[in-house]
């Protein structure tokens, strides 16, 4: 009898952890505080909004963790929806993630990074589009070269995100 094909385990603990942290933190943490503070009116309400958002995010993460234990398949949300609601909903979820959600997130993050980098170096704002496009192309190339390159880049970006967060927390106290 033939063995079932298994996924290759090519990423280690640190790369997997950095992917999870990167999915949770993303770049919104650097652009949202001002918006939240101005919408909340004062710092106490803004902190309450962050705590409520954190609890909701934690609940969502724990829910997906429970679902992944009950449905031990690869494919994430696609596999879960297909198992629970049928092939049509799994198929639609997969296509929406591939054609709409994924490219929209990649494009938005590329533009945001381009905008920040252009502002940091005092560059013309027209350059932010090209910086964003080149960043997306660079990261795509690194991921195409293999999981080791992609994992290295992921770890570097997480370190780049965590340093300012820790500095803000340390100096904020």
């Amino acid at each position: 009898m033939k063995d079932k094909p298994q996924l290759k385990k090519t990423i280690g603990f640190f790369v997997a952890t950095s992917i999870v942290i990167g999915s949770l933190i993303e770049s919104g943490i650097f652009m949202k505080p001002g918006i939240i503070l101005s919408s909340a009116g004062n710092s106490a309400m803004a902190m309450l909004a962050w705590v409520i958002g954190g609890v909701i995010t934690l609940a969502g993460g724990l829910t997906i963790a429970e679902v992944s234990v009950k449905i031990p398949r690869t494919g994430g949300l696609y596999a879960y929806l297909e198992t629970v609601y049928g092939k049509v909903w799994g198929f639609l979820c997969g296509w929406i993630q591939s054609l709409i959600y994924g490219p929209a997130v990649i494009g938005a993050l590329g533009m945001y990074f381009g905008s920040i980098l252009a502002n940091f170096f005092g560059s013309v704002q027209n350059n932010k589009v090209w910086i964003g496009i080149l960043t997306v192309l660079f990261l795509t190339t690194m991921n195409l070269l293999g999981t080791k390159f992609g994992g290295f880049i992921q770890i570097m970006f997480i370190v780049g995100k965590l340093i300012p967060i820790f500095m803000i927390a340390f100096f904020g106290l």
Side-chain angles (χ1 to χ4, degrees), residues 32-166:
K32 296 296 180 200
I35 296 168
I36 290 173
L37 188 58
S38 67
S39 298
N42 61 46
S43 59
M45 293 303 288
M47 287 302 291
L48 180 63
W50 279 105
V51 168
I52 291 170
V55 168
I56 291 170
T57 302
L58 181 62
L62 291 173
T63 301
I64 291 296
E66 285 292 324
V67 170
S68 70
V69 169
K70 298 292 183 190
I71 306 171
R73 292 179 51 200
T74 58
L77 188 57
Y78 159 78
Y80 308 148
L81 285 174
E82 182 183 61
T83 302
V84 174
Y85 297 112
K87 290 189 178 283
V88 171
W89 293 107
F91 173 82
L92 290 175
C93 171
W95 276 103
I96 287 171
Q97 285 183 325
S98 298
L99 295 177
I100 298 172
Y101 180 75
V105 169
I106 291 168
L109 290 175
M111 284 295 296
Y112 178 66
F113 182 77
S115 178
I116 286 179
L117 208 60
N119 285 336
F120 183 76
F121 288 112
S123 179
V124 181
Q125 281 299 310
N126 296 343
N127 292 337
K128 71 181 178 182
V129 174
W130 289 109
I131 293 170
I133 290 170
L134 291 174
T135 301
V136 169
L137 290 175
F138 169 74
L139 293 175
T140 300
T141 304
M142 289 296 106
N143 281 298
L144 288 174
L145 291 175
T147 54
K148 290 190 190 281
F149 290 109
F152 175 75
I153 297 295
Q154 180 68 32
I155 289 172
M156 298 310 296
F157 272 110
I158 290 304
V159 169
K161 287 180 187 179
L162 290 178
I163 288 173
I165 290 172
F166 286 134

Side-chain angles (χ1 to χ4, degrees), residues 2-7:
K2 224 178 190 181
D3 288 334
K4 268 180 106 173
Q6 297 289 322
L7 292 176

